[in-house]
Amino acid sequence: MRCPFCGNTDTQVKDSRPAEDHGAIRRRRFCPACGGRFTTYERVQLRDLVVVKSNGRREAFDREKLERSVRIALQKRNIEHERVDQMISGIVRRLESLGDSDIPSKLIGEIVMETLARIDTVAYVRFASVYKNFQEADDFDKFVSELRPEPKDTE
């Protein structure tokens, strides 16, 4: 593994342990050339996924991009880091198990929204506001009103 600090290719593994509910291996590494320490994760990859954008453009699936968008939605929410890692791993496994390597970006967004809705409604609304491209406050109001249960008649 190449050192991210100096580029040395001869780094040493100092510690390995399971991560993400045994879905990955977390390795602490040390670079003898510069003394830098860093962490890597090893995960199973069932297939190379390709994201098909709404305009037809295709790009390689980027787990880090998915993770960034989920973490932004969950920013300042009281959700454990480990739970977020498990959620992201679950989304990726679900995408890989669909049977097709070409995944529409719309499907990825729907799966992320569905998962966030179960974990944190504020993060769900935050993600939806970007995903659905809310333009004004009324868009938020309409979306949130759909989340609220209908008032019961008290007669």
Side-chain angles (χ1 to χ4, degrees), residues 37-150:
R37 295 179 181 273
F38 58 101
T39 302
T40 60
Y41 289 88
E42 182 179 320
R43 296 178 181 88
V44 172
Q45 183 174 335
L46 297 176
R47 63 175 47 122
D48 290 331
L49 298 176
V50 175
V51 178
V52 181
K53 302 286 191 167
S54 56
N55 65 3
R57 200 179 82 229
R58 300 162 54 86
E59 64 181 52
F61 176 77
D62 184 354
R63 181 190 172 98
E64 281 75 34
K65 186 175 178 181
L66 170 67
E67 185 172 352
R68 272 191 313 274
S69 65
V70 168
R71 290 201 186 278
I72 288 169
L74 287 165
Q75 201 168 25
K76 296 186 180 180
R77 303 299 298 157
N78 193 20
I79 308 296
E80 297 169 4
H81 186 77
E82 189 71 22
R83 186 163 184 209
V84 176
D85 289 341
Q86 289 173 359
M87 181 187 110
I88 292 165
S89 292
I91 291 169
V92 173
R93 278 194 303 270
R94 187 169 164 189
L95 294 172
E96 288 176 335
S97 67
L98 289 174
D100 192 3
S101 58
D102 290 356
I103 311 293
S105 60
K106 181 177 174 142
L107 178 60
I108 296 170
E110 295 294 332
I111 290 172
V112 171
M113 283 182 42
E114 173 187 313
T115 307
L116 282 172
R118 290 193 307 260
I119 291 177
D120 187 275
T121 54
V122 171
Y124 170 61
V125 172
R126 285 178 179 169
F127 186 87
S129 71
V130 174
Y131 173 70
K132 293 181 178 281
N133 196 22
F134 291 179
Q135 296 296 314
E136 51 192 55
D138 284 346
D139 296 337
F140 280 95
D141 192 39
K142 288 177 199 166
F143 187 78
V144 171
S145 69
E146 293 171 9
L147 297 177
R148 292 188 183 116
E150 292 293 317

Side-chain angles (χ1 to χ4, degrees), residues 1-2 9-17 25-32 36-42:
M1 177 64 62
R2 181 181 308 272
T9 57
D10 186 29
T11 59
Q12 301 169 355
V13 175
K14 291 296 182 187
D15 179 50
S16 291
R17 64 180 64 167
I25 297 174
R26 177 183 185 269
R27 300 193 193 282
R28 288 291 299 149
R29 295 181 178 267
F30 171 77
C31 175
R37 295 179 181 273
F38 58 101
T39 302
T40 60
Y41 289 88
E42 182 179 320

